[in-house]
Amino acid sequence: DAKTTQPTSMDCAEGRAANLPCNHSTISGNEYVYWYRQIHSQGPQYIIHGLKNNETNEMASLIITEDRKSSTLILPHATLRDTAVYYCIVQANQAGTALIFGKGTTLSVSS
Amino acid sequence: GAVVSQHPSRVICKSGTSVKIECRSLDFQATTMFWYRQFPKQSLMLMATSNEGSKATYEQGVEKDKFLINHASLTLSTLTVTSAHPEDSSFYICSAQRDSSYEQYFGPGTRLTVT
């Protein structure tokens, strides 16, 4: 079973920041928070991951609360090409452990 | 970045025939690869875990004799759908777990249509 809770859908205007929340209240100490996205009919694309510190890369920022029970993925300037299903996954970073996908959040970016 | 390829990208086959899908990690070694299936408007469902040199581990409800997995090298895993039926039509996605970091990278997927 997926260990995360995400809103089913969100809308965002092009050029604005998209803030996607994720609840993971049962996260264990050794589990990371991963974010992937899937554009229609493509394989999932890695976005970012973190353990407890906030992380930033060229695609997005990840803000993890101090108690690690929730996180927010931030796309700073959303474009139409960011329209996708976004998956928040918690998983230990160890050999042989598959990522288990929940239902994710469908983000629709409009002009 | 790490790249995972799948071949073919889409395939149409007749009911009763078998189809082989290849998953390759192009620039890293992957002792473990995973196979997922995705039906329309649904999320990815893990089918099996493929380990190089050993038998695959299948998730509950996935028929191991129908979905044959072979992981003969550190860069290649294959999924063969045997005696395919229309209900096997789906989007099949593999991922490869990099040995050095345990990060997972996904292939672009294979669209299987059984007529």
Side-chain angles (χ1 to χ4, degrees), chain A residues 2-13:
Chain A
K3 303 176 188 176
T4 63
T5 304
Q6 298 178 251
T8 302
S9 62
M10 294 183 66
D11 295 319
C12 180

Side-chain angles (χ1 to χ4, degrees), chain B residues 37-107:
Chain B
R37 181 167 54 181
Q38 185 175 34
F39 292 108
K41 298 187 187 293
Q42 294 186 22
S43 186
L44 284 78
M45 289 174 38
L46 179 67
M47 297 175 67
T49 300
S50 167
N51 292 296
E52 187 268 338
S54 64
K55 290 184 178 180
T57 303
Y58 292 81
E59 296 299 301
Q60 191 172 10
V62 178
E63 300 173 58
K64 63 181 182 191
D65 295 330
K66 180 170 185 62
F67 298 99
L68 301 180
I69 292 173
N70 184 277
H71 193 152
S73 78
L74 291 175
T75 60
L76 172 65
S77 175
T78 60
L79 169 69
T80 301
V81 183
T82 63
S83 187
H85 288 96
E87 57 265 31
D88 298 324
S89 297
S90 189
F91 192 50
Y92 291 87
I93 305 168
C94 73
S95 72
Q97 187 176 45
R98 197 204 308 244
D99 285 351
S100 60
S101 66
Y102 306 141
E103 291 168 351
Q104 271 188 248
Y105 300 92
F106 287 82

Side-chain angles (χ1 to χ4, degrees), chain B residues 30-42:
Chain B
T31 299
T32 303
M33 294 185 179
F34 304 98
W35 287 95
Y36 295 81
R37 181 167 54 181
Q38 185 175 34
F39 292 108
K41 298 187 187 293
Q42 294 186 22

